[in-house]
Amino acid sequence: LTGRRDLIEAARLQSSPVHGIGRPLKVSKEEVFVLLTAIDVWASRDHDSDLQAALERTSAAVAGINGISGLRAELKFPDHIGRPYPTAFVHIDDKTGVHAKTLQESLLSGTPSVAIMGHTDPKVVRIDVRVLSDEDAASVVSAVGRAMHSLIR
């Protein structure tokens, strides 16, 4: 280290054995490698193909949910606040007496546990299956059907 005396002294205060303010923020070589790998993987993806697969998976989920009594699903793309990914918006019929929060809680406590998103409307939930496998997306639809069946009995 070379330079002005006051800067060299300031740098020494950040080194062993003192370990100044920068020490907790130190990034390991492994973390740098993982970040670079993640960027490389992301940059090499076929994003158009990923989006098409997400649209197809969400469309299949919407079709499955539309077969469940008391529910009406629609695909929104972009979503309700303009994010560029497909989302299933599920409207719960008033006649069922089921509220979004009740459906969410039922799904979370089920096996498998399924997390879905709420909405400002207490009769609407949002379901995002875009990063799931087709099999897991179908499991979500089945879980919604089981939950609704048990809630409207």
Side-chain angles (χ1 to χ4, degrees):
L1 186 61
T2 62
R4 291 188 349 224
R5 181 178 208 76
D6 61 327
L7 296 177
I8 291 172
E9 287 302 317
R12 281 190 180 148
L13 291 175
Q14 303 303 315
S15 66
S16 182
V18 178
H19 301 300
I21 60 171
R23 188 68 182 170
L25 306 175
K26 182 179 177 185
V27 178
S28 70
K29 63 185 177 294
E30 294 84 5
E31 291 168 317
V32 171
F33 182 76
V34 167
L35 175 62
L36 292 174
T37 301
I39 291 169
D40 188 44
V41 168
W42 178 257
S44 66
R45 290 189 67 87
D46 181 351
H47 296 283
D48 291 336
S49 176
D50 289 346
L51 176 57
Q52 186 59 40
L55 283 164
E56 290 170 7
R57 191 171 300 111
T58 305
S59 292
V62 165
I65 292 166
N66 278 329
I68 299 169
S69 180
L71 299 180
R72 180 182 56 82
E74 63 179 315
L75 185 150
K76 288 199 180 182
F77 175 74
D79 75 354
H80 64 301
I81 57 174
R83 292 176 292 196
Y85 55 81
T87 306
F89 278 67
V90 181
H91 303 266
I92 305 168
D93 190 326
D94 285 335
K95 295 175 189 168
T96 64
V98 176
H99 290 276
K101 187 76 170 160
T102 308
L103 179 57
Q104 286 178 285
E105 290 168 354
S106 177
L107 288 166
L108 275 175
S109 65
T111 302
S113 181
V114 174
I116 61 174
M117 300 170 286
H119 190 269
T120 55
D121 183 336
K123 290 293 194 171
V124 175
V125 293
R126 297 172 294 135
I127 299 176
D128 181 2
V129 295
R130 65 193 154 99
V131 297
L132 300 179
S133 68
D134 291 343
E135 181 180 300
D136 286 344
S139 292
V140 169
V141 172
S142 295
V144 170
R146 287 191 306 274
M148 283 301 292
H149 181 74
S150 69
L151 292 170
I152 59 176
R153 287 188 152 232

